[in-house]
Structures are given as structure tokens and as C-alpha cells.
Amino acid sequence: MNFRYVMGGFGMVCTAWGGWLLLQQPEPWRIAVWLGGAVVVHDGFVVPAVMAVAVLVGVAGLRLHGVMRGALIVAGSLTAIALPPLLRPGGVANPTVLPLDYLRNWLLALAAIVLFTLAYVGVRAVARRVGLGSRRA
């Protein structure tokens, strides 16, 4: 059987299971509103922001190679995961729920992504200049 059909069937089963679990909730409309909000945020803000960055990169004449694109994807994914704790309301009733300094840790993680990417690109540039990296990886 074609792998595509197997994966499509698996996705349909998971969707049906998720719908069944949604209907088991005491107030399923609240979850549906939240999921709808996620779609609106993605299609209304994230996609236009990514497209604007792509246009600006193209207008500036920059060429983003695989490593740079990978770093941007990792940074974007990290930011998407970090948004809920970063945007949480001021104080929480239980201080152990979100005990860390998420803004500082997110910035440190982004700095690490930038540093590792620059180091990798720099080492490759030096190796290419010296003649060690004649083939493209």
C-alpha cells in the first residue's frame, strides 16, 4: 500500500480521536475558540511576518544558505514554543508553576543559536579560503 495513504489514514484517525476527546470536555467551545485563535494568529501575523522578512532579505540582496535558513527555523520554533510563558500575565497564584526567568533563558538560547551559526559559517569560510573546503556540503 502506498505510504501516503497510510499516513493520510493515520492523520484522519488522529483527527477523529482529537475531535472525540474535544467533545468529552465540559466546555469544548473554549478549546475550539483557542484553536481558532491559533489559526488566526498563524495566518494573520506569523505568515505575513515571515513573508515580509523574506521580501526584505531578497530586496537587500542577501542569500540565505541552508545553515542560515536552519538557524532561522530553529529560532522561530523556539520562539513559538516560548511565547506562552513569555506572554503570561504578571503574577501567578502559585509561584512554582512558572518558576524560571523565561525571557532571559529565551534570549540566551537565541544568542546561542546565533553564536553557533556564526561560528559554523566562519569556520567553513576559513576552511574554504585555506582550500580545505573545495567541495560544497
Side-chain angles (χ1 to χ4, degrees), residues 13-131:
V13 168
C14 288
T15 301
W17 183 42
W20 182 77
L21 290 175
L22 175 66
L23 293 176
Q24 302 303 314
Q25 298 299 314
E27 295 177 337
W29 62 271
R30 295 182 80 186
I31 297 171
V33 167
W34 185 86
L35 289 172
V39 171
V40 168
V41 167
H42 178 269
D43 293 350
F45 299 107
V46 175
V47 171
V50 168
M51 295 302 291
V53 169
V55 167
L56 290 174
V57 166
V59 167
L62 299 174
R63 293 181 55 207
L64 294 180
H65 296 286
V67 175
M68 298 298 284
R69 283 192 302 251
L72 289 172
I73 289 170
V74 170
S77 300
L78 176 70
T79 301
I81 292 169
L83 275 179
L86 290 174
L87 298 177
R88 73 178 186 267
V92 291
N94 183 353
T96 62
V97 172
L98 296 172
L100 303 175
D101 185 357
Y102 291 97
L103 178 61
R104 184 200 69 203
N105 294 342
W106 173 69
L107 290 172
L108 287 172
L110 287 180
I113 292 168
V114 169
L115 289 175
F116 283 119
T117 303
L118 290 176
Y120 180 79
V121 170
V123 166
R124 282 188 58 186
V126 168
R128 210 173 300 124
R129 181 165 285 177
V130 172

